[in-house]
Amino acid sequence: MTVRRAQPRTVFEELLRQQDRTYEEIARDFENVARQLGEHGVSITARHLRRLASGERTGTTPATRRVLQAMFNRRVDDLLQCWPPAGPAGGEPQCAQLTSFATPLELLTSAAQRAHEFALLSRTSLTSESMEQVYDDVSQLARIYSHRPLPEILGRLATAQDTLFRLIEAGQAPACARQLYFLAGVTCGLLARAAHDLGDPYAALTQARTGFICADRADHNGLRAAIRAWQAIFTYWADRPHDAVRYSQSGTRFASAARSTTLVWVPCIEARAWAQLGNDDRAYELVQHAERMRDQVRPDELDELGGVCTFDRSRQLYVLADALTWLPRRAKLCRRYCEEAVAAYQDSTAPNWSFAFQAGSCATLAIARIGAGELDGAAEAMAQVFGLTEPQRINLVVKSVRRVHSVLSNSPLAGNHPELTEKIRVFADSQLRPGAARACLEPLPHRASAPSPGQP
């Protein structure tokens, strides 16, 4: 006998079912997200969640509403409406009800977002103005990604991905479809980076695979190469250097065809993977090759998005400095690259400045100074890193700090600077946890995969 599962009573209950997690687990995530948003002392019980999901209760505090909206990327009024939600066929308006809790700024923001969605999704064929809006949205996300803490932009990233998937699924002219697949691939790449920054390599690689599918359908070699570079980055930081080499080498032919900044990006990432494996000769050969390729770069439309989508000179210095820290024979060259990388990230107003790459550069300089027996100099280099707020303590940053600790622990001078060791320990313990924003990474589970191959 087959037991039929009761139909969900609210949109919220349906979303919770799709996550396939207990109310207790979701309540714990609620508290983590509240802390990340600065909503101190805000919590929710599993019983309260269950009553909200069942429709038995609709009242919530403003703080609770803000946290739920961040977790599920939907207004609470939308979450609590009956399932299935009423649409135009039922004669009900789809716009969210504005609540008495909303401030004037929140009302204006909500209205602007609704107008934005209507303009994009109210027609099957995109106009040039609508396509320009979609492009600008993705470009802005690419540019601000390295400047903002993740909890501030995760919801926007997930919404952008969902919008792009829906536009593709609606059916578009071939030229529009190609551009949408390109932008969807970029957005998947950004969400892959977000998952990686939260220390979740599985989610990162899942998003990256979908991104590569989109790059294939857009027939965009620059994006194919960038996705492979990101996959190599994820596996490098997951201590899988052989996989990092494999992904890098797979990206080489796409980078050669694109001639974009991936022409430099891919060999830099491969050099670092070989360096981690201890292959000095191959790593150094790739360092030199990457330097030669810089003069041959012709920026493409991926580079034009800016931010993390382009591999500028500053990031090249940082990645090569990181690679050289694995090579004892290259100590002098390593020191030069480390110092240049730190100098390159001093201007926080630069378009492609990144708090994470700045921290990584400082960590490489600390490693170089430890190797030279300059522990006070290493502590000085780490000062900027220790000043990062908790939402900025992402996977790359914390693993860079832990590597400094590993080098220090294996140094003949281990134990000579207990203050530095203690600061590293405290910093690593305050890492931004994956669970704190997991719901924000995938607020729309039914959109977890790319549009089916049958779509244009």
Side-chain angles (χ1 to χ4, degrees):
M1 177 178 177
T2 303
V3 178
R4 295 185 61 187
R5 193 177 188 184
Q7 179 170 307
R9 289 157 289 189
T10 65
V11 172
F12 191 30
E13 189 169 39
E14 170 63 13
L15 289 176
L16 296 181
R17 285 183 179 181
Q18 290 175 5
Q19 291 194 12
D20 196 24
R21 300 165 67 235
T22 67
Y23 284 100
E24 288 75 12
E25 290 172 328
I26 295 167
R28 286 195 294 271
D29 272 1
F30 178 97
E31 293 183 8
N32 289 331
V33 173
R35 283 194 295 272
Q36 296 300 324
L37 294 174
E39 303 285 359
H40 301 294
V42 178
S43 62
I44 197 167
T45 64
R47 181 172 179 270
H48 190 177
L49 277 171
R50 192 175 287 107
R51 292 182 67 189
L52 287 173
S54 69
E56 295 176 19
R57 183 169 178 176
T58 59
T60 57
T61 66
T64 297
R65 297 172 75 85
R66 288 193 292 270
V67 176
L68 288 174
Q69 181 169 308
M71 289 180 69
F72 295 94
N73 196 36
R74 299 191 182 196
R75 292 178 57 82
V76 174
D77 289 342
D78 294 338
L79 290 173
L80 300 184
Q81 65 178 314
C82 293
W83 180 268
E92 295 291 334
Q94 286 189 301
C95 59
Q97 295 293 318
L98 299 178
T99 76
S100 58
F101 295 117
T103 66
L105 180 59
E106 287 171 337
L107 293 175
L108 289 172
T109 301
S110 174
Q113 179 63 27
R114 185 67 186 93
H116 178 275
E117 292 174 356
F118 176 80
L120 292 179
L121 301 174
S122 63
R123 62 192 75 188
T124 300
S125 298
L126 283 173
T127 64
S128 59
E129 290 80 7
S130 297
M131 180 61 78
E132 185 177 343
Q133 179 67 63
V134 176
Y135 182 92
D136 286 348
D137 289 346
V138 176
S139 179
Q140 185 186 44
L141 287 168
R143 292 174 188 275
I144 68 174
Y145 185 95
S146 293
H147 294 258
R148 305 279 183 85
L150 274 175
E152 293 183 15
I153 60 173
L154 278 175
R156 291 179 60 186
L157 277 170
T159 298
Q161 183 189 62
D162 183 65
T163 299
L164 285 160
F165 283 174
R166 282 193 283 165
L167 287 169
I168 292 169
E169 290 167 350
Q172 305 292 338
C176 283
R178 179 206 166 274
Q179 186 70 358
L180 289 172
Y181 271 119
F182 166 72
L183 294 173
V186 172
T187 308
C188 287
L190 294 175
L191 280 166
R193 283 200 65 98
H196 163 69
D197 286 340
L198 288 169
D200 192 340
Y202 173 81
L205 290 170
T206 298
Q207 286 281 0
R209 291 184 192 104
T210 300
F212 193 84
I213 291 171
C214 291
D216 261 348
R217 294 181 190 168
D219 193 22
H220 198 286
N221 283 317
L223 182 56
R224 288 183 179 113
I227 295 292
R228 288 293 188 243
W230 275 325
Q231 289 172 311
I233 290 168
F234 306 154
T235 47
Y236 166 79
W237 287 108
D239 295 322
R240 293 161 51 189
H242 288 287
D243 287 333
V245 168
R246 177 171 58 85
Y247 281 124
S248 299
Q249 292 178 342
S250 174
T252 298
R253 65 186 178 95
F254 301 122
S256 297
R259 313 301 294 180
S260 62
T261 60
T262 59
L263 200 60
V264 181
W265 191 356
V266 171
C268 285
I269 300 301
E270 186 180 351
R272 185 166 61 175
W274 282 116
Q276 187 180 19
L277 288 167
N279 191 326
D280 181 292
D281 291 339
R282 181 58 180 152
Y284 182 62
E285 179 184 347
L286 285 163
V287 169
Q288 293 178 307
H289 175 71
E291 291 288 18
R292 290 192 297 271
M293 290 297 100
R294 176 59 68 180
D295 292 335
Q296 299 184 32
V297 165
R298 297 195 299 269
D300 66 357
E301 59 183 334
L302 181 65
D303 291 313
E304 290 171 3
L305 289 175
V308 294
C309 290
T310 188
F311 194 74
D312 65 352
R313 177 62 178 170
S314 299
R315 190 141 49 119
Q316 180 182 352
L317 289 169
Y318 157 60
V319 175
L320 293 183
D322 193 33
L324 291 165
T325 59
W326 294 96
L327 306 177
R329 288 171 50 194
R330 312 291 175 178
K332 185 176 180 179
L333 182 64
C334 175
R335 181 70 171 251
R336 177 168 67 82
Y337 270 94
C338 292
E339 290 174 348
E340 290 183 10
V342 169
Y345 282 107
Q346 285 304 303
D347 182 7
S348 61
T349 64
N352 293 330
W353 178 83
S354 161
F355 68 82
F357 299 145
Q358 180 187 44
S361 298
C362 290
T364 64
L365 181 57
I367 290 172
R369 287 177 174 174
I370 291 169
E374 303 169 12
L375 296 192
D376 288 338
E380 180 185 358
M382 294 298 293
Q384 282 185 301
V385 184
F386 294 143
L388 293 177
T389 63
E390 185 173 340
Q392 294 174 312
R393 299 182 182 192
I394 60 175
N395 188 44
L396 180 154
V397 173
V398 172
K399 288 204 169 182
S400 296
V401 173
R402 287 176 177 164
R403 183 143 180 264
V404 175
H405 180 262
S406 175
V407 171
L408 179 60
S409 299
N410 291 315
S411 165
L413 304 176
N416 287 12
H417 208 301
E419 182 182 356
L420 177 59
T421 302
E422 177 62 14
K423 284 184 176 180
I424 291 174
R425 185 194 64 78
V426 172
F427 186 96
D429 285 345
S430 62
Q431 179 177 9
L432 181 61
R433 307 293 177 184
R438 185 179 300 278
C440 294
L441 276 172
E442 299 177 327
L444 301 168
H446 59 291
R447 298 285 173 184
S449 59
S452 64
Q455 297 298 331

